[in-house]
Amino acid sequence: MVSAEIGVEPGGDAEALGRLIRAGRSAEVVELADSFLSTAPDAAEYAQILLMKLGALINVGRVSECPEVADQAHAALGRCDEPALLGEFHALAANVADQQGSLDGCVAHLVRGSRALELVRVHDHPAAMAWLDLAVTYSGVGFHGHAVNALHRAQAIARSAGLDPADFTHPEIRIRVAVALDHKGDTAACVSILSDVLNCVGPADVAQFELPYLGYAMARLAALGTPSSCDPLPLLWADVSPFGEAVELRTLGEACLAIADGQHTTALARLEEAAGYTRAMGAAEVPRLRAIALAAAGDHPAAHLAERAVMKVIARDADRLHGLFVEGVSARLDHDELRRIVTRYADEAHTDPLTGLPNRRHLERYVDELAERGTYGAIGVADLDGFKTVNTVHGHLAGDQVLQRVAAILSRTLRTGDFLARYGGDEFVIVLPMTDLDEATRLGDRLIAAICADDWSTLVPGTPVTLTVGWAELNGRTGLVAAFRAADMVMLRAKVAQS
């Protein structure tokens, strides 16, 4: 559960929303936030209220509504110099991207959040809470080392600022570390960490919504043959509504207790109910508990198959990270190529700030120069298909990332001497000097294939990114305006034909 407690002045509207979130009343925050926006005294509090609404939407599971609020919050943060709030924004946006299945977008926000928080010089509540929410998201995604480091940063700032340590204990992060180690075969380390957590932290030392995690640590130890002296059931059933992960922890915890009691059939039945539970402890936890239950029941062949399922989940996650690493290297090379291109356009008035490509003004100047030299060629208008859906589903920040990646793909696919500009929105213009329409069409097919071949599922899952291109002749007789209109009409007719 994210906190989104942004550290505001007592008595303000944002502070009232913060109290509701701490009381587990996130649904009310969603309903009240918009009315509070109209009375926000400055851009900082306006952004704080939007961030609280964003955190509340995450808490109540209304993720489809988050991108629009995230766009509004990002725009508001652009009007104030608040690195702690910016770090908090990226922590929440990373959580949303993760729930939408965008590992690429999630990691990008996590890195940006860390960089923003490194700029914070004041040890106060906003900085501590931002580091904490960053830690929670790192943990949920499975970057446990980064999660622990971010948690330590939050706790150090909290101690320095004299804040309540219970708000920053967050045992869930170390509990996830322990469970992840068990998934990888290091059960002894898992038992050691879980035991240490329970020795250091009790129910009175944590926020209310962390109680089910403590209960789960006790139950998990019991399933591994190390029962606790305390009864975990009251903690597993603590009222932390609308904290959705509590339901997962309760079901998995009851399966663990059934394993410990030798009720293997009951445990396996509870695990069948938990088949889709992945948020609290990861996708490998259900097959791992199934393996423990089957081994305890003496069905070792079935337990072996369940362990194979655990390894399959771990290997899949590793493959995703390897793919992200390769894409990161590719993106870096594309960025280097774009930088080389941008050096040719030193005048910022002629450069698109988002992609670094020449803009419309530069395009006009370039075509005028071709006309003066009497050079013929082809002009192409390239437009992304369904780009509005990307912005609607994933938000404008993800849309900007798509445009940057498209610019990089087009740049590396074009030939030396070809000219690429961003005309506006999701529209790009390509000028191919000394090229006839047949050759331009073949090159256009390569551009379309390059965009289609990219793995967009890691950045904007569920919203495929494709390209349509129209071509027209460009010469001294037609001029830029007429050639552009002709190419645009060809592109629009192609879109109609595809639909």
Side-chain angles (χ1 to χ4, degrees), residues 350 358-370 379-380 419-423 428-431 474 480 484:
H350 292 83
N359 60 13
R360 184 184 306 190
R361 183 182 298 177
H362 194 126
L363 169 68
E364 293 169 351
R365 189 179 73 181
Y366 176 79
V367 172
D368 286 343
E369 291 172 355
L370 290 182
I379 185 170
F419 182 91
L420 173 66
R422 183 184 177 208
Y423 200 71
F428 297 83
V429 175
I430 306 150
V431 179
L474 180 64
L480 175 61
F484 177 86

Side-chain angles (χ1 to χ4, degrees), residues 122-407:
V122 179
H123 284 192
D124 57 8
H125 190 262
M129 294 310 303
W131 275 113
L132 180 61
D133 278 337
L134 204 65
V136 170
T137 304
Y138 268 127
S139 176
V141 178
F143 298 126
H144 300 296
H146 289 82
V148 171
N149 289 337
L151 178 62
H152 289 164
R153 296 290 293 269
Q155 292 170 338
I157 292 172
R159 286 193 298 271
S160 175
L163 304 174
D164 186 352
D167 290 337
F168 300 91
T169 304
H170 259 58
E172 70 173 271
I173 290 171
R174 291 192 69 206
I175 293 169
R176 283 202 191 98
V177 171
V179 169
L181 288 170
D182 185 52
H183 294 165
K184 296 173 183 176
D186 196 348
T187 301
C190 172
V191 170
S192 176
I193 293 173
L194 291 179
S195 300
D196 184 63
V197 168
L198 295 176
N199 287 333
C200 296
V201 179
D205 303 317
V206 302
Q208 178 77 7
F209 58 80
E210 288 287 306
L211 294 177
Y213 280 100
L214 286 182
Y216 190 68
M218 296 176 188
R220 193 61 158 77
L221 278 173
L224 294 173
T226 310
S228 169
S229 59
C230 300
D231 182 7
L233 283 175
L235 298 177
L236 290 170
W237 282 89
D239 183 10
V240 292
S241 169
F243 179 33
E245 291 169 26
V247 177
E248 294 190 14
L249 293 168
R250 188 178 304 142
T251 305
L252 295 172
E254 289 177 344
C256 289
L257 294 175
I259 293 171
D261 291 341
Q263 300 174 16
H264 309 124
T265 302
T266 300
L268 291 171
R270 295 298 279 155
L271 291 172
E272 282 298 317
E273 297 174 20
Y277 290 169
T278 62
R279 289 296 301 169
M281 289 294 145
E285 180 69 339
V286 170
R288 171 58 180 149
L289 292 179
R290 185 178 291 116
I292 296 173
L294 290 167
D299 190 348
H300 296 291
H304 175 71
L305 290 176
E307 289 288 9
R308 295 276 293 178
V310 175
M311 292 299 104
K312 183 178 179 180
V313 171
I314 293 173
R316 182 197 65 197
D317 290 345
D319 286 344
R320 290 179 69 202
L321 292 178
H322 291 157
L324 191 64
F325 172 76
V326 172
E327 289 174 7
V329 173
S330 176
R332 183 184 301 172
L333 293 173
D334 288 340
H335 178 70
D336 291 344
E337 178 62 24
L338 276 175
R339 288 183 64 184
R340 284 193 290 272
I341 293 172
V342 169
T343 57
R344 302 205 305 264
Y345 316 125
D347 185 356
E348 291 185 0
H350 292 83
T351 303
D352 173 53
L354 178 64
T355 63
L357 292 175
N359 60 13
R360 184 184 306 190
R361 183 182 298 177
H362 194 126
L363 169 68
E364 293 169 351
R365 189 179 73 181
Y366 176 79
V367 172
D368 286 343
E369 291 172 355
L370 290 182
E372 290 175 4
R373 295 197 300 267
T375 304
Y376 77 92
I379 185 170
V381 175
D383 190 83
L384 296 180
D385 304 318
F387 185 67
K388 182 178 179 181
T389 303
V390 171
N391 283 329
T392 300
V393 174
H394 300 285
H396 287 82
L397 289 177
D400 287 349
Q401 289 179 286
V402 168
L403 291 173
Q404 289 168 335
R405 186 182 291 186
V406 167

Side-chain angles (χ1 to χ4, degrees), residues 423-437:
Y423 200 71
D426 59 336
E427 198 165 58
F428 297 83
V429 175
I430 306 150
V431 179
L432 309 179
M434 307 298 291
T435 304
D436 61 28
L437 287 182

Side-chain angles (χ1 to χ4, degrees), residues 30-47:
V30 174
E31 300 305 319
L32 290 172
D34 288 344
S35 63
F36 286 0
L37 288 173
S38 61
T39 59
D42 52 43
E45 179 146 345
Y46 191 90

